[in-house]
Amino acid sequence: MWPKAKRSVSDATAAAIAAAAAGGGAAAVGVFVDEDGPTIAARCAAAGILVAQLHGDGARAAVNDVPGDLQVVYVLQADDAGRIVTPLPGADGGPPLRRSIEWVLVDGMTGGSGKAFDWRNLRVPAHLGSRGWLLAGGLTPANVADAVALARPRAVDVSSGVCGPDGLLKDRDKVAAEQPRQDAPERSPITATRPCPPARSRGQRSALARATGRSPAPEAIDPPAAPPARLAAHAPPPPPTAAAARHSPARPGAGMDLPLALGVALALVATYVVRQVLAFWSALDRDSATALALTLDDPGSAAPLLPPSIWAPPTKKLSVVVPAYNEQDRLPATLDEALAYLARRRDRGGPAFTYEVIVVDDGSSDGTAAVARRYVAAHGADAVRLLRLPHNCGKGRAVREGVLIARGELVLFMDADGATRVSDMERLEAAIAAGAAPAWRGRPGGAAAPAAAGGAGGPLCVAVGSRAHLERAAVAQRSRLRNFLMHGFHALVTLVAGHGVADTQCGFKMFTRRAAATLATNQRLQRWCFDVELIYLAQALGVPIKEVQVQWMEMPGSKIRFTSVLHMAFELLTIKLCYGWLRLWRIAEETDARGRVSPTAKKAS
């Protein structure tokens, strides 16, 4: 974006690049050298760019003037020996840093030169970047694997390394060399450039290990095989006589080899499992601070509709979030009931009652998205919105992404099966009106951010739909095994969240906007027990919780299996360990949560 650079582009070209990047699920980065804060903000806004890279002294000096809705890549330069020579923010009498920096990028002394430096001596102040640090400077398809192995960055920038002779256009052959061939043998896990396969594969274990700063997990836990025995060149000796056997001493340690080997094997297995679990927890924490590049489907528009942010001022009275995974059969009845009820309330309450229904397609493989798109076309993209996740992330992640783009003063999420009567939301609204708190309580500094500090201000409360009054009848109808599993699950929930809420799993919960913004931003779990996590977070932050009886009926098509119960138990223990006993996850209060996940859009749409 710097006019004097040889790669400089106009705002129109930058806007086209940003649109193409968003269409491919990426985000464009605007590079600035000596521009001030207002200029950076204006040019990014004109081009629709969400990430600003501060590459020169002038741009770095303006870091505090860059708006908070822009992500910042702060460039540090290293000399040939790999020593950081750029002054850190606030050093040498400079102004202190007053905003968060998402990324730190380490480059050579001359930007765009393609000159490498000594990666072994590199010491990066990675604490400056809330999302990690990036490596640039002399990276090419031939050396990028060695650079990653030595420096262990979060990601790499190979822009100069894949340019053609003119230093501008990209060389297709070099770009192709960066991309792994599907038929090529897999490389060492520390240098592999292959995209991560599904969870718990070898590539992902290595990526998670690099992100946490630990050595990669071993590829196997079995001890190396013993070399083949050497063939005897002569006949075996005769067996000893009885007299010789009586006088031969016993071999020290005889009889201990097998227990010792079993102990070593168990220790290796335990170490491997612990490292895998820690890497998994670290990935959940990192993913919760990484916004997905998502757009809203609008059949009536050729351009993608950028989603708003929960931290912006509300423009609707109510937002209803419906997570859906392979729900093409059950979703129509749920949407028909919800939209008909909301229309009746609008007719009864007048134009002051405005609403939106957000359908979050969690990577469905059936016609769920097509069903939702028909409702968007029939009711308009302002009333019904379709947000599609790139793959199946889990119900918890689907609910979180829907809440983070909600525009309502109140945010309700409900299951796609329609098991709860939609009209029961009025009971939840009444409970919130009666029990909402005006400020945070229960944590020091919890009331530090007034409503005027941002669009998510206002009262605080969570209303939880409950089926506890129906439990006795349900127990009489279920098998002994299901009742045993239910009571075991409730015991774990009590261990995590206490006795305050009798039914944590009912898929019918309402939040005030201020509570929804902070709780969803802190949420880490992506699948089954995110409900318990939200209640745990609300209790920790002092948000009032009201449990309300709702009408509920069993619906066919449940996706819960026996393995799901095991997964739930693991997630419940994860909540207790990561938030409580081990304190691996930090609960961000409102002022910190506001910038924890960068918004995916610059303004509400």
Side-chain angles (χ1 to χ4, degrees):
M1 308 290 285
W2 187 43
K4 299 179 182 179
K6 63 180 180 180
R7 301 178 188 170
S8 177
V9 297
S10 64
D11 289 348
T13 302
I17 295 173
V29 179
V31 180
F32 300 91
V33 177
D34 60 6
E35 293 88 341
D36 57 17
T39 302
I40 294 172
R43 296 204 64 189
C44 286
I49 290 176
L50 308 179
V51 185
Q53 179 172 315
L54 311 183
H55 205 91
D57 292 338
R60 282 191 290 262
V63 61
N64 288 326
D65 299 325
V66 176
D69 59 351
L70 280 176
Q71 299 183 43
V72 167
V73 179
Y74 196 91
V75 177
L76 300 176
Q77 294 173 324
D79 59 17
D80 293 349
R83 295 185 295 266
I84 302 296
V85 297
T86 305
L88 302 182
D92 300 332
L97 186 63
R98 297 191 303 272
R99 62 151 293 156
S100 63
I101 293 175
E102 282 72 23
W103 302 95
V104 171
L105 184 144
V106 179
D107 200 354
M109 291 290 290
T110 305
S113 65
K115 184 177 181 180
F117 46 82
D118 191 343
W119 298 303
R120 289 182 177 83
N121 298 329
L122 191 59
R123 298 294 181 267
V124 181
H127 64 279
L128 286 179
S130 62
R131 298 192 179 182
W133 73 280
L134 317 175
L135 178 63
L139 298 180
T140 67
N143 66 13
V144 65
D146 294 333
V148 169
L150 292 170
R152 298 182 180 275
R154 176 77 183 275
V156 295
D157 176 359
V158 293
S159 177
S160 301
V162 294
C163 284
D166 59 358
L168 296 175
L169 297 178
K170 306 304 179 188
D171 187 311
R172 294 182 179 273
D173 292 336
K174 293 181 178 179
V175 173
E178 281 292 332
Q179 301 171 346
R181 300 191 310 273
Q182 295 300 323
D183 57 346
E186 191 161 356
R187 304 171 64 181
S188 165
I190 195 65
T191 60
T193 58
R194 185 185 304 277
C196 291
R200 303 193 180 190
S201 64
R202 178 166 52 194
Q204 191 177 39
R205 291 200 302 267
S206 303
L208 296 178
R210 290 198 301 273
T212 55
R214 303 181 178 94
S215 300
E219 294 299 321
I221 60 173
D222 298 325
R230 183 176 300 172
L231 296 178
H234 53 79
T241 63
R246 283 194 303 268
H247 294 287
S248 61
R251 182 169 58 89
M256 295 295 293
D257 291 345
L258 181 59
L260 180 61
L262 289 176
V264 171
L266 290 175
L268 289 173
V269 170
T271 301
Y272 174 78
V273 170
V274 169
R275 293 181 64 179
Q276 290 298 96
V277 170
L278 289 174
F280 177 69
W281 288 342
S282 177
L284 289 179
D285 189 40
R286 187 175 63 254
D287 290 346
S288 70
T290 304
L292 296 176
L294 303 175
T295 57
L296 293 164
D297 274 24
D298 182 5
S301 173
L305 186 62
L306 295 178
S309 169
I310 187 70
W311 295 103
T315 58
K316 300 287 184 183
K317 180 65 177 178
L318 175 68
S319 295
V320 180
V321 178
V322 183
Y325 174 66
N326 290 346
E327 294 286 1
Q328 66 175 7
D329 296 327
R330 301 193 295 183
L331 184 61
T334 300
L335 292 181
D336 287 339
E337 180 189 0
L339 291 169
Y341 164 78
L342 294 171
R344 289 194 301 270
R345 281 197 61 179
R346 180 193 57 202
D347 296 340
R348 185 174 73 242
F353 181 77
T354 54
Y355 62 86
E356 64 176 348
V357 176
I358 304 171
V359 180
V360 186
D361 176 21
D362 185 22
S364 299
S365 57
D366 64 354
T368 298
V371 170
R373 200 175 286 115
R374 289 201 301 268
Y375 282 85
V376 176
H379 295 269
D382 186 61
V384 180
R385 304 198 138 192
L386 172 59
L387 185 70
R388 302 188 64 184
L389 303 189
H391 55 271
N392 178 234
C393 299
K395 179 182 175 182
R397 186 64 184 261
V399 169
R400 182 178 191 259
E401 295 298 331
V403 169
L404 289 177
I405 69 166
R407 296 177 289 170
E409 296 175 13
L410 296 174
V411 181
L412 169 79
F413 79 78
M414 58 178 290
D415 289 342
D417 60 3
T420 308
R421 182 174 294 180
V422 178
S423 59
D424 280 351
M425 72 171 64
E426 295 184 40
R427 299 184 181 184
L428 273 61
E429 292 177 64
I432 287 178
W440 302 99
R441 63 190 185 192
R443 285 170 65 92
L460 293 161
C461 194
V462 178
V464 178
S466 175
R467 305 158 296 179
H469 59 293
L470 305 173
E471 182 175 344
R472 179 171 299 178
V475 167
Q477 296 175 6
R478 290 174 178 155
S479 66
R480 290 183 178 180
L481 176 60
R482 289 196 64 184
N483 285 328
F484 172 77
L485 294 176
M486 178 193 70
H487 289 302
F489 178 79
H490 286 174
L492 286 175
V493 171
T494 301
L495 173 67
V496 174
H499 297 275
V501 177
D503 183 6
T504 60
Q505 298 305 106
C506 181
F508 201 73
K509 294 180 176 64
M510 181 176 286
F511 308 80
T512 61
R513 184 174 185 83
R514 190 176 181 187
T518 302
L519 297 179
T521 300
N522 275 291
Q523 178 191 330
R524 270 85 168 178
L525 296 184
Q526 301 185 5
R527 295 200 174 272
W528 296 105
C529 291
F530 74 97
D531 307 74
V532 182
E533 182 186 16
L534 291 175
I535 292 172
Y536 181 94
L537 292 170
Q539 292 172 338
L541 290 168
V543 178
I545 303 175
K546 303 298 178 181
E547 191 167 10
V548 182
Q549 292 184 3
V550 295
Q551 302 180 62
W552 182 87
M553 60 184 299
E554 188 84 39
M555 302 296 291
S558 172
K559 298 180 175 65
I560 296 180
R561 304 292 182 266
F562 179 76
T563 54
S564 305
V565 177
L566 299 178
H567 199 157
M568 290 179 186
F570 173 72
E571 289 193 345
L572 288 174
L573 292 175
T574 293
I575 296 172
K576 193 65 176 177
L577 289 170
C578 292
Y579 284 117
W581 295 338
L582 300 180
R583 298 188 180 276
L584 298 177
W585 296 345
R586 187 178 69 88
I587 300 177
E589 296 177 359
E590 185 177 29
T591 51
D592 295 327
R594 191 180 302 276
R596 187 171 186 272
V597 180
S598 298
T600 55
K602 298 182 72 59
K603 60 181 180 179
S605 301

